[in-house]
Amino acid sequence: MARNKVQFQKGLSEAEFDRLYGTEEACRAIVYSWRWAKGFVCPVCGDTRHCVVKPRQLFQCTGCGRQTSLTAGTIFAQTHLLLRTWFRAMYHLTQSKGGISSIELGRRLGVTQTTAWKLKHKLMQVMMERDAGKRLGGRIEIDDA
Ligand SMILES: [Zn+2]
């Protein structure tokens, strides 16, 4: 990810949000452009030749054979949530002035409060790090424990 764009324009309507980010494919395309702005680059050997292995849509490097996922090493990794759910969480967190409780976030996303709480805290940590001038690199890992 070259630049952190985990923030949505203030005042983006929910309808417009849905139009732009309403599908998993749209979210994947955006995360792809954040991570590999100039196209896929193998995190191990730097080769750009690759193929996509279905059904998990892993990227397999032609050079070294290593498989990597779109979200490996990003905050989106190691969750079973759709990227769409993450995007909606980001939307709700950035649109509400007074913040949003994890209960409310969970209700809006259709996930448990615990999941909403984790999402919220991971995203807030990333936003905080960004505000502190750090880049959201390709290797941010946040441990649930
Ligand atoms: Zn490789």
Side-chain angles (χ1 to χ4, degrees):
M1 264 182 247
R3 291 196 63 202
N4 173 19
K5 292 176 190 168
V6 183
Q7 190 177 43
F8 298 102
Q9 207 183 330
K10 283 274 178 206
L12 179 69
S13 74
E14 205 154 348
E16 185 69 357
F17 174 84
D18 278 344
R19 194 179 66 76
L20 295 171
Y21 311 107
T23 67
E24 189 65 8
E25 286 68 33
C27 296
R28 280 185 66 87
I30 289 159
V31 172
Y32 186 96
S33 73
W34 287 341
R35 184 158 185 209
W36 292 311
K38 292 174 183 167
F40 173 85
V41 179
C42 174
V44 176
C45 72
D47 205 328
T48 56
R49 295 169 301 153
H50 68 285
C51 60
V52 179
V53 184
K54 293 180 177 181
R56 292 183 56 215
Q57 295 193 303
L58 295 171
F59 295 83
Q60 182 167 326
C61 172
T62 307
C64 71
R66 170 66 171 264
Q67 293 186 339
T68 188
S69 73
L70 178 62
T71 57
T74 73
I75 61 160
F76 309 119
Q78 291 168 5
T79 69
H80 299 291
L81 295 168
L82 293 171
L83 283 176
R84 211 179 139 233
T85 304
W86 279 97
F87 274 59
R88 285 171 60 217
M90 288 187 258
Y91 175 77
H92 289 303
L93 287 171
T94 54
Q95 297 301 309
S96 55
K97 270 183 194 149
I100 181 170
S101 72
S102 50
I103 295 172
E104 176 65 14
L105 185 63
R107 197 184 62 74
R108 293 193 193 186
L109 299 178
V111 300
T112 65
Q113 190 200 338
T114 308
T115 299
W117 186 90
K118 285 183 189 169
L119 270 171
K120 183 179 170 180
H121 282 262
K122 283 188 180 189
L123 288 170
M124 284 176 59
Q125 168 136 15
V126 169
M127 290 178 198
M128 218 168 62
E129 288 176 1
R130 178 205 55 210
D131 290 345
K134 286 186 197 165
R135 275 176 30 171
L136 173 62
R139 297 231 62 87
I140 289 190
E141 285 167 37
I142 297 166
D143 192 343
D144 276 351

